[in-house]
């Protein structure tokens, strides 16, 4: 309270007498005959522009408009009678200072001492409102009195003399007025709201013109070379296609990035491989926000964001948020914001903080992130990283809930959309545009599954479009590309041909770049270091170095701050596969050119060999193309052992082998290297294989060379894999297996992720596999394929399929476990009048379970009728599970109705929990007080025993 008592008179003095003093000083300057404002009848705009126009001296800012000087003021003020306005003291201070800086003619308009007093008054005003420090009212009064004397001495006239009595009266009134705490706090709040509003407007205006440019890459250079018309600031803005994004294994829309869990405001970690589109997505978010005044953003919730802090961790040198904002982000706009008030200001705003490149952070980044966390505890955070740093990102924001959004890159639908946009931009005048798009997509779908991970990367797809369009007259060239090594080599040669035109020692620079990629892999360093660039320029012509780097790498323009015209070019590799390919090119070409018998192992230290795992398949491909693989295949395989690559990494072993594919003479059959094949067969001796979803096709291809396999656990999803290649692979595998004429068959466990189990695939297992376990969706026509199964976990979507299962159960002689999940609306339990067929089990020790999802109380009666009709007699069902929004009343009905149907457990997973009394009364109520039932009830993991405690 004492601080308030000291501050309130000062506040009132600044708002009253001090403001009046500056108003009179401004009017004296403005109406002076030298200003020629026609005694104040010209508007501020007219007077200011007249002074600039008639000033013969050269002044640096002569071409600036009046708005640029008074950008934070209401534009109407500039065209109104300024003498009749009552404005803020800071406006009068700024206006006097600006008028007295209009060239030599006005530089001595006021004395240096008078101008210094004006600046001190403005500083006192800002310090008072921006911080909690106490300002002495006597100092302010003394300063104002001295200023009036100086101005009167400088400019003369009667205006100040006439105003002095009123000013003195105001000063006395402030000193004698009763202290009004409410008014003080109201004025402080009012000022803070003005400050906040000005900060929002000025920062957005600054960021609209910010030099936060997207990086250029070989694709954007090719677009420029092609003469394609780009309507936006950057082609990527026009071509942007949101990649497939998964959160908790479910697909999400990037437009909802700010909307989930609105009350919690979680930190969203955008996780994805290099090149998957993380930074591009951040640019799109920022770009939609800064243009929201002219175009409403599509991203939900972005319109309410007041301010975005965008941090590129690989560039910033700052350790605190305050330093970042002042020294890099908003240098000019932050000059009027005191450090003490910055946190309060930011907390009063709706702030979104985008932190791009956690995996590329420098030594200052952790301190900066920690300070952001402290200054913006309630703000929305988006942070990007590669998957290996996901956990570290979550730790960095432990006090906030974290949501992981995994950027999977392009799936088929996103790839088609993106390809359509690119081909349209390049071939907008082509009448066969739609046909071109269809042909290109067909070409991609015909590539081997090894291409799939690379076709998820937007940049790879974009470069392939240029490559494909360049060979429309030579389709055989594109069809011959069957390995990823061949793909990268063709793209590399295309870029070299199209983008390197003046490079004098091109090959030499490229060899050095390949060596740098190899060296950077060891440190997982995607950016070219300054030392690397200097080494290149010392060994090659500097102009050639820049040309090569811009042709093959990502080029970021780094500004010291947004208002600085000086910039530095920073280069980084496009993505990890490019580094792997360049590294393989280096080792392969170095081995080829060496005169001695250099050993492959000599390039890799044992401590770092694991860092080069992704490079080995490319190395196998490069050695194959240069005819060196037979000499080095054993050493390559030893390196895989040193890198501790596990046996069941079937994607790796498949890639390693099939990157060595070459044509088999006249038959044109593509065969892998025989020596390497023998090494892999010898290494993978396991009798049981488990092929997860991401290794389905690659593992099946490898399986062709392993006749002794005894069990196969296979997962596949027809919605996400190349079904054509799957069918071709299964057919080849069946042909090879049937040639063995073996009586022993492989035990097959099948997990189907797609909507329905396609029996057309099962026919390819018939000759050499026995289906022993099945999990997934099944249709009525596929049920027959399950007759040899021991375990069936089937999801069904109609009652006809359920009846088909019930009908076939007696024929399933090996059946041990039958679990059925009902994946259709409960209103369809008696579809078209059809009743469920009773399950008939003639053997003992068969476990049966029925599971129902998304139930409400209204569904219970019909669901119970279904269970009773389907229940096998006399065995009953071992378990029944009900999930949904179920109440205690529904629980009573379930227990009452299923006493003679369930033998072991009844599960209820409800969004509602039972009270302690309800748990005790559920069974007695359902059994009319008898208290005994034939099964255990589990309600949301709590077991409810067959007798309440007071009965035992």
């Amino acid at each position: 309270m004492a601080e308030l008592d000291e501050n309130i008179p000062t506040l009132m003095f600044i708002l009253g007498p001090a403001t009046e003093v500056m108003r009179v000083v401004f009017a004296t300057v403005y109406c002076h005959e030298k200003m020629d404002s026609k005694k104040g009848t010209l508007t501020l705009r007219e007077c200011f522009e007249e002074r600039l126009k008639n000033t013969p001296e050269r002044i640096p800012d002569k071409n600036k408009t009046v708005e640029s000087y008074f950008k934070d003021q209401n534009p109407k003020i500039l065209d109104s009678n300024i003498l009749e306005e009552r404005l803020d003291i800071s406006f009068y201070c700024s206006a006097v200072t600006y008028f007295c800086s209009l060239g030599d003619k006005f530089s001595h308009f006021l004395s240096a001492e008078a101008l210094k007093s004006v600046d001190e008054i403005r500083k006192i005003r800002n310090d008072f409102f921006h911080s909690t420090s106490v300002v002495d009212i006597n100092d302010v009064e003394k300063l104002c009195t001295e200023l009036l004397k100086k101005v009167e001495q400088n400019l003369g006239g009667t205006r100040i003399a006439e105003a002095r009595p009123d000013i003195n009266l105001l000063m006395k009134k402030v000193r004698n007025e009763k202290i009004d705490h409410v008014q003080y706090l109201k004025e402080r709040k009012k000022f803070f709201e003005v400050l906040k509003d000005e900060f929002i407007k000025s920062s957005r205006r600054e960021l609209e013109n910010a030099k936060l440019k997207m990086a250029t890459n070989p694709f954007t250079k090719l677009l420029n070379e092609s003469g394609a018309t780009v309507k936006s600031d950057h082609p990527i803005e026009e071509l942007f296609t949101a990649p497939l994004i998964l959160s908790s294994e479910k697909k999400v829309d990037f437009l909802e990035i700010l909307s989930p869990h609105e009350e919690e405001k979680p930190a969203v970690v955008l996780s994805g491989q290099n090149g998957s589109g993380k930074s591009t997505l951040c640019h799109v978010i920022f770009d939609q926000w800064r243009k929201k005044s002219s175009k409403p953003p599509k991203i939900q919730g972005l319109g309410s964001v007041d301010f975005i802090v965008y941090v590129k961790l690989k560039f910033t040198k700052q350790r605190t948020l305050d330093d970042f904002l002042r020294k890099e982000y908003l240098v000019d706009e932050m000059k009027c914001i005191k450090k003490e008030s910055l946190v309060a200001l930011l907390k009063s705003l709706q702030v979104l903080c985008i932190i791009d490149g956690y995996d590329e952070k420098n030594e200052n980044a952790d301190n900066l992130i920690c300070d952001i966390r402290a200054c913006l505890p309630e703000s929305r955070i988006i942070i990007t990283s590669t998957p290996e740093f996901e956990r570290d990102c979550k730790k960095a924001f432990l006090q906030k809930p974290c949501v992981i959004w995994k950027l999977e890159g392009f799936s088929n639908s996103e790839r088609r959309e993106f390809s359509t946009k690119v081909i349209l931009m390049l071939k907008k005048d082509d009448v066969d545009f739609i046909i071109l798009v269809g042909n290109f997509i067909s070409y991609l779908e015909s590539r081997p599954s090894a291409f799939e991970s690379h076709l998820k990367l937007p940049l790879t797809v974009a470069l392939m479009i240029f490559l494909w369009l360049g060979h429309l007259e030579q389709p055989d060239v594109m069809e011959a590309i069957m390995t990823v090594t061949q793909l990268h080599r063709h793209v590399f040669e295309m870029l070299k041909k199209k983008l390197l035109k003046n490079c004098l020692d091109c090959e030499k620079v490229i060899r050095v770049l390949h060596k740098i990629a190899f060296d950077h892999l060891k440190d997982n360093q995607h950016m070219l270091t300054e030392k690397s660039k200097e080494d290149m320029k010392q060994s090659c012509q500097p102009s050639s170095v820049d040309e090569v780097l811009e042709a093959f790498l990502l080029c970021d323009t780094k500004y010291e701050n947004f208002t600085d015209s000086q910039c530095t070019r920073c280069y980084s590799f496009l993505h990890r596969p490019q580094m792997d390919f360049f590294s393989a090119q280096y080792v392969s070409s170095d081995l080829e050119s060496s005169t001695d018998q250099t050993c492959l192992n000599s390039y890799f230290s044992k401590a770092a060999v694991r860092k080069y795992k992704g490079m080995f398949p490319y190395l196998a491909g490069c050695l194959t193309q240069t005819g060196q693989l037979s000499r080095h295949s054993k050493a390559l395989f030893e390196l895989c052992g040193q890198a501790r690559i596990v046996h069941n990494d079937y994607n790796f072993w498949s890639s390693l082998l099939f990157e060595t594919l070459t044509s088999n003479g006249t038959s044109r059959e593509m065969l892998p290297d025989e020596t390497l094949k023998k090494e892999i067969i010898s290494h993978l001796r396991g009798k049981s294989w488990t092929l997860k979803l991401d290794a389905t096709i690659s593992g099946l291809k490898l399986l062709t060379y392993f006749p002794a396999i005894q069990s196969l656990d296979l997962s596949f999803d027809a919605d996400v894999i190349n079904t054509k290649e799957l069918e071709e692979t299964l057919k080849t595998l069946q042909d090879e297996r049937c040639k063995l004429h073996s009586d022993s068959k492989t035990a097959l466990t099948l997990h189907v992720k797609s909507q329905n189990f396609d029996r057309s695939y099962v026919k390819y297992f018939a000759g050499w596999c026995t289906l022993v376990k099945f999990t997934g969706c099944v249709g009525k026509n596929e049920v027959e394929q399950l007759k040899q199964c021991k375990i069936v976990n089937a999801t069904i979507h109609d009652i006809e399929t359920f009846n088909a299962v019930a009908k076939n159960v007696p024929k399933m002689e090996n059946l041990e476990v039958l679990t059925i999940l009902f994946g259709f609306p409960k209103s369809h339990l008696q579809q078209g009048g059809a009743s469920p067929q009773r399950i008939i089990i003639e053997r003992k020790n068969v476990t049966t379970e029925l599971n129902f999802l998304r139930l409400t109380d209204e569904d219970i009666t019909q669901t119970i009728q279904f269970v009773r009709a389907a229940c096998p007699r006399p065995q009953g069902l071992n378990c029944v599970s009900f999930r949904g929004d179920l109440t205690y009343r529904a629980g009573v009905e379930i227990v009452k109705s299923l006493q003679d149907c369930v033998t072991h457990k009844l599960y209820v997973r409800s969004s509602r929990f039972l009270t302690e009394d309800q748990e005790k009364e559920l069974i007695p109520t359902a059994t009319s007080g008898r208290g005994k039932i034939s099964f255990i009830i589990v309600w949301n993991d709590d077991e409810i025993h067959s007798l309440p405690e007071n009965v035992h």
Side-chain angles (χ1 to χ4, degrees):
M1 189 61 71
E3 182 186 320
L4 285 179
D5 290 345
E6 290 184 68
N7 270 337
I8 290 173
T10 307
L11 168 70
M12 297 309 171
F13 196 95
I14 292 173
L15 294 175
T19 300
E20 183 63 18
V21 166
M22 284 312 308
R23 192 186 75 81
V24 172
V25 171
F26 165 77
T28 303
V29 172
Y30 184 60
C31 297
H32 195 274
E33 59 184 12
K34 285 188 178 181
M35 289 302 298
D36 194 22
S37 64
K38 305 295 187 286
K39 296 184 179 181
T41 57
L42 293 181
T43 65
L44 183 64
R45 182 192 304 277
E46 291 168 340
C47 181
F48 194 85
E49 291 177 348
E50 190 72 20
R51 299 284 61 74
L52 285 175
K53 183 174 66 175
N54 296 326
T55 302
E57 296 86 353
R58 178 183 176 86
I59 58 175
D61 50 6
K62 185 171 180 176
N63 294 323
K64 285 192 176 181
T65 62
V66 65
E67 284 90 346
S68 64
Y69 288 101
F70 301 103
K71 57 187 177 182
D72 295 330
Q73 302 299 326
N74 187 330
K76 292 181 180 179
I77 291 173
L78 305 178
D79 295 312
S80 64
N81 188 333
I82 202 70
L83 297 179
E84 295 179 4
E85 299 286 346
R86 286 293 185 270
L87 302 171
D88 184 83
I89 189 172
S90 63
F91 170 81
Y92 293 126
C93 292
S94 298
V96 169
T97 303
Y98 286 137
F99 272 133
C100 294
S101 64
L102 296 178
D104 294 340
K105 183 177 179 179
F106 302 101
S107 60
H108 302 296
F109 207 39
L110 287 181
S111 65
E113 292 80 6
L115 288 173
K116 183 179 179 183
S117 296
V118 171
D119 286 338
E120 287 180 4
I121 289 175
R122 179 166 52 183
K123 184 176 185 301
I124 286 176
R125 176 264 193 191
N126 289 340
D127 285 345
F128 181 80
F129 282 113
H130 291 181
S131 67
T132 57
S133 58
V134 177
V135 181
D136 193 336
I137 188 174
N138 295 316
D139 293 339
V140 185
E141 183 176 356
K142 182 180 177 183
L143 195 58
C144 289
T145 304
E146 290 177 354
L147 176 61
L148 285 175
K149 290 180 182 178
K150 293 171 185 174
V151 174
E152 196 169 23
Q153 290 170 1
N154 292 161
L155 302 180
T158 61
R159 189 176 293 271
I160 291 178
E162 291 172 353
R164 187 175 275 113
D166 291 336
I167 292 173
N168 290 336
L169 189 63
L170 274 173
M171 290 180 176
K172 289 180 181 178
K173 185 179 178 183
V174 167
R175 287 186 174 278
N176 297 328
E177 249 183 0
K178 182 183 176 182
I179 293 176
D180 186 348
H181 297 103
V182 175
Q183 180 64 19
Y184 167 76
L185 296 173
K186 183 178 178 182
E187 291 293 342
R188 286 294 293 259
K189 182 179 179 182
K190 178 182 175 183
F191 173 80
F192 190 79
E193 289 300 319
V194 172
L195 175 68
K196 182 169 75 171
D197 187 56
E198 288 180 359
F199 178 76
I200 291 172
K201 288 192 296 185
S202 59
S203 60
R204 187 178 300 153
R205 183 166 46 244
E206 179 69 19
L207 293 174
E208 280 177 359
N209 302 311
K211 296 184 177 73
L212 187 67
K213 302 299 182 184
M214 284 193 197
T216 59
N217 55 53
F219 170 63
T220 54
K221 290 203 71 179
L222 288 174
L223 273 180
N224 293 332
E225 294 263 329
S226 71
T229 303
V230 181
K231 300 175 184 177
S232 55
D233 296 337
H234 195 282
I236 300 304
E237 294 175 20
E238 237 171 289
L239 299 171
F240 174 72
T241 303
L244 174 64
I245 307 175
L246 300 180
S247 179
S248 302
E249 304 303 321
K250 295 179 181 178
K251 184 177 179 179
V252 292
D253 188 339
F254 92 97
L255 296 176
E256 300 173 356
I257 192 166
L258 299 180
S259 57
H261 314 292
E262 184 65 36
E263 69 285 353
E264 295 180 346
K265 296 185 178 178
V268 178
V269 179
L270 291 178
S271 172
Q273 298 295 342
N274 295 99
S276 59
K278 304 184 297 295
S279 295
T280 302
L281 183 54
C282 289
H283 272 284
V284 169
I285 295 170
F286 180 78
D287 202 58
Q288 286 195 21
W289 173 78
R290 68 178 182 170
K291 294 177 180 177
K292 69 176 185 175
S293 58
S294 58
K295 184 179 181 181
K298 296 180 181 178
I299 296 172
Q300 298 171 20
L302 192 58
S304 62
V305 171
D306 297 317
F307 181 56
I308 287 185
V309 179
Y310 195 130
V311 185
K312 286 190 171 185
L313 288 182
K314 66 181 176 183
F315 287 153
T316 184
K317 300 175 182 177
Q318 311 310 322
R319 297 167 65 88
T320 68
L321 178 59
D322 185 82
D323 284 343
F324 173 73
L325 295 176
R326 292 183 191 282
K327 298 178 181 179
E328 295 183 19
Y329 199 58
L330 291 174
V331 178
D332 291 335
E333 309 306 318
M334 291 297 296
K335 289 177 181 176
C336 65
I337 309 295
K338 297 298 178 183
K339 187 172 184 178
E340 295 82 358
S341 62
L342 176 62
V343 174
L345 175 62
L346 292 177
K347 286 183 178 179
S348 70
L349 301 174
Q350 290 287 332
V351 178
L352 168 62
C353 185
I354 299 175
I355 304 173
D356 190 18
Y358 187 87
D359 52 301
E360 300 173 310
K361 64 180 182 174
N362 57 35
E363 66 277 5
N364 298 318
D366 286 329
N367 294 92
L368 178 58
I369 291 173
C370 183
D371 197 52
I372 289 173
R373 186 178 63 207
C375 295
L376 303 173
E378 301 300 322
S379 297
R380 301 300 296 259
I381 304 289
I382 296 174
I383 184 167
T384 73
S385 176
T386 50
E388 56 265 35
F389 291 99
E390 270 180 25
R391 187 174 297 177
D392 293 330
C393 288
K394 294 184 73 172
K395 285 181 181 178
F397 292 95
L398 272 178
Q399 86 283 17
K400 291 180 73 69
C402 264
V403 177
I404 304 291
W405 278 28
K406 295 182 181 291
L407 274 70
E408 299 291 322
F410 285 166
S411 65
N412 291 336
S413 59
E414 291 88 25
R415 199 151 48 228
R416 176 179 285 276
E417 180 184 345
F418 178 72
S419 302
T420 302
K421 291 177 181 178
V422 175
I423 294 176
L424 176 60
M425 183 177 282
L426 293 170
K427 296 285 185 179
K428 59 181 180 299
D429 298 326
D430 198 316
V431 292
D432 295 329
F433 158 72
I434 298 299
I435 296 175
L436 280 175
V437 172
N439 289 343
F440 177 70
I441 296 299
S442 296
Y443 171 73
L444 294 185
E445 291 174 349
S446 69
R447 295 307 89 197
S449 57
F451 280 54
E452 184 59 33
S453 61
H454 301 270
L455 296 181
K456 289 181 177 180
L457 304 177
L459 191 54
T460 301
V461 176
L463 293 175
M464 281 190 73
I465 290 173
F466 267 101
L467 184 64
W468 184 78
L469 290 174
H471 290 86
L472 287 177
E473 305 300 324
Q474 301 168 296
D476 290 349
V477 174
M478 296 300 295
E479 290 298 329
I481 301 175
M482 297 301 292
T483 69
V484 179
T485 306
Q486 291 169 354
L487 170 63
H488 279 282
R489 185 182 289 276
H490 276 78
V491 169
F492 177 76
E493 292 298 326
M494 175 190 70
L495 295 177
K496 190 164 70 169
K497 180 180 178 182
K498 287 181 176 288
L499 298 182
L500 298 182
K501 297 175 180 176
N502 302 309
C503 189
L504 300 177
D505 44 5
C506 161
E507 295 301 329
K508 185 177 180 181
V509 181
I510 289 172
R511 281 198 299 274
V512 177
L513 181 60
H514 290 172
K515 172 68 164 60
I516 288 173
F518 181 80
D519 293 337
H520 278 38
L521 268 182
K522 182 173 63 176
D523 301 320
N524 195 31
Q525 172 67 263
H526 285 76
M527 283 188 67
L528 254 66
T529 61
E530 290 300 322
K531 183 180 183 304
S532 298
K533 287 191 284 186
E534 287 304 314
D535 289 346
M536 290 183 76
K537 290 181 178 179
Q538 287 177 9
S539 59
C540 314
Q541 294 234 3
S543 60
S544 298
V545 170
D546 288 336
E547 191 178 358
V548 168
L549 293 181
E550 288 187 19
F552 298 114
L553 303 187
L554 199 69
C555 177
D556 262 305
T557 305
K558 176 188 174 185
Y559 293 87
E560 288 303 315
N561 58 65
F562 281 2
T563 60
D564 193 1
S565 59
Q566 299 296 318
C567 64
T568 306
R569 287 180 177 177
C570 302
Y571 296 98
S572 53
F573 292 97
L574 305 180
H575 38 59
R576 181 61 184 257
Q578 185 193 39
M579 296 180 70
D580 290 329
F581 173 70
F582 278 2
S583 301
Q585 286 277 78
Y586 158 68
V587 174
S588 176
S589 60
D590 202 57
L591 284 170
E592 189 177 24
S593 60
S594 63
T595 53
D596 57 354
Q597 294 295 311
T598 305
C599 178
L600 179 61
N601 304 65
S602 63
Y603 291 88
F604 306 90
S605 67
K606 288 188 178 180
V609 70
R610 294 188 70 183
K611 303 286 184 67
Y612 294 97
K613 170 187 170 182
M615 167 197 165
F616 292 153
Y618 291 101
L619 184 55
C622 290
L623 292 173
T624 299
Q625 292 176 4
T626 56
Q628 303 178 81
L629 184 60
S630 57
R631 183 159 65 94
H632 296 290
S633 60
K634 188 168 184 179
L636 177 59
F637 198 80
E638 288 174 359
L639 287 172
C640 296
Q642 292 173 17
R644 288 180 281 177
I645 298 166
V646 295
H647 285 67
N648 62 355
D649 191 347
Y650 300 112
N651 271 331
F652 173 83
W653 297 114
S654 177
S655 296
L656 186 72
L657 180 61
F658 292 114
E659 284 300 307
T660 68
L661 287 173
T662 52
S663 178
N664 182 25
T666 55
S667 69
R668 292 194 174 184
E669 183 183 3
M670 302 292 286
L671 297 176
D673 179 78
E674 193 65 28
T675 307
L676 190 61
K677 183 178 81 172
K678 289 178 180 178
E679 293 281 1
I680 293 176
I681 290 174
S682 175
H683 181 65
L684 305 181
R685 297 194 185 96
K687 301 295 183 181
S688 300
W689 281 28
T690 298
L691 302 182
K692 295 183 179 178
L693 198 58
D694 61 344
T696 301
I697 296 179
S698 57
L700 289 172
K701 284 184 174 181
L702 267 182
L703 201 59
T704 307
Y705 306 113
F706 292 83
I709 189 78
Q710 292 178 354
S711 68
L712 173 63
D713 191 312
L714 175 65
S715 299
F716 74 83
D717 184 348
D719 294 331
V720 298
I721 63 176
N722 188 328
T723 53
K724 181 181 178 182
E725 187 183 16
L726 174 63
E727 190 165 354
E728 290 175 354
T729 302
L730 287 173
K731 187 177 185 308
T732 302
L733 184 58
Q734 184 187 46
D735 292 343
E736 292 297 321
R737 290 290 167 153
C738 290
K739 289 177 184 176
L740 299 174
H741 301 294
S742 174
D743 292 333
S744 61
K745 290 187 176 183
T746 299
L748 175 64
T749 297
L750 201 56
H751 306 274
V752 181
K753 306 291 183 181
S754 45
Q755 183 68 16
N756 254 334
F757 173 38
D758 192 338
R759 59 180 174 173
S760 65
Y761 300 136
V762 179
K763 66 183 179 184
Y764 295 117
F765 294 103
W768 59 282
C769 280
T770 300
L771 184 60
V772 297
K773 180 179 178 180
F774 174 82
T775 300
C777 300
V778 64
K780 65 176 182 179
N781 296 326
E782 287 77 48
V783 172
E784 182 68 26
Q785 306 292 337
L786 308 178
K787 61 184 178 182
Q788 297 296 323
C789 285
K790 292 182 179 180
I791 299 173
V792 174
N793 296 305
T795 300
I796 63 173
H797 292 278
D798 54 64
I799 197 166
E800 291 182 348
T801 303
F802 173 80
N803 287 341
V805 172
K807 181 180 178 181
N808 277 274
V809 166
K811 304 175 186 177
M812 300 169 72
E813 298 178 355
N814 302 317
L815 186 65
E816 296 175 0
V817 177
L818 173 64
T819 302
I820 298 176
L821 175 66
F822 294 87
F824 56 89
K826 305 306 153 303
S827 58
H828 294 178
L829 285 173
Q830 290 187 340
Q831 196 175 43
S835 298
Q837 183 169 325
R838 187 176 302 281
I839 300 172
I840 299 175
I841 299 176
E842 298 175 350
R843 295 177 299 104
K844 295 181 179 180
N845 302 323
V846 177
T847 300
T848 54
E849 181 175 343
L850 301 183
N851 298 289
F852 298 89
L853 304 179
R854 298 184 292 278
L855 294 172
T856 63
D857 281 14
E858 288 70 26
D859 301 317
I860 289 301
T861 300
Q862 192 174 14
T863 306
I864 289 173
Q865 291 173 357
F866 186 96
V867 173
R868 293 187 62 81
C871 177
R873 300 295 184 179
Q875 298 93 332
L877 295 161
N878 294 79
C879 296
V880 178
S881 173
F882 298 85
R883 296 175 185 243
D885 185 23
L886 301 174
T887 64
Y888 170 75
R889 181 181 63 80
V892 170
E893 186 177 352
I894 292 169
V895 175
K896 181 179 180 180
S897 304
L898 297 184
Q899 290 187 61
D900 58 342
C901 294
V902 182
T903 62
H904 184 49
K905 281 190 178 182
L906 174 75
Y907 292 90
V908 179
R909 303 281 184 187
S910 175
S911 56
R912 308 187 188 204
F913 288 83
L914 299 182
T915 65
E916 189 174 337
D917 289 341
Q918 286 175 334
E919 283 190 13
K920 290 179 179 179
E921 295 299 324
L922 177 61
I923 296 175
T925 301
T927 58
S928 301
R930 294 192 302 275
K932 285 193 175 183
I933 53 176
S934 59
F935 51 82
I936 296 172
I937 302 172
V938 181
W939 191 295
N940 290 343
D941 297 327
D942 292 329
E943 280 196 4
I944 301 176
H945 297 281
S946 59
L947 289 173
E949 291 181 8
N950 58 358
V951 176
H952 282 299

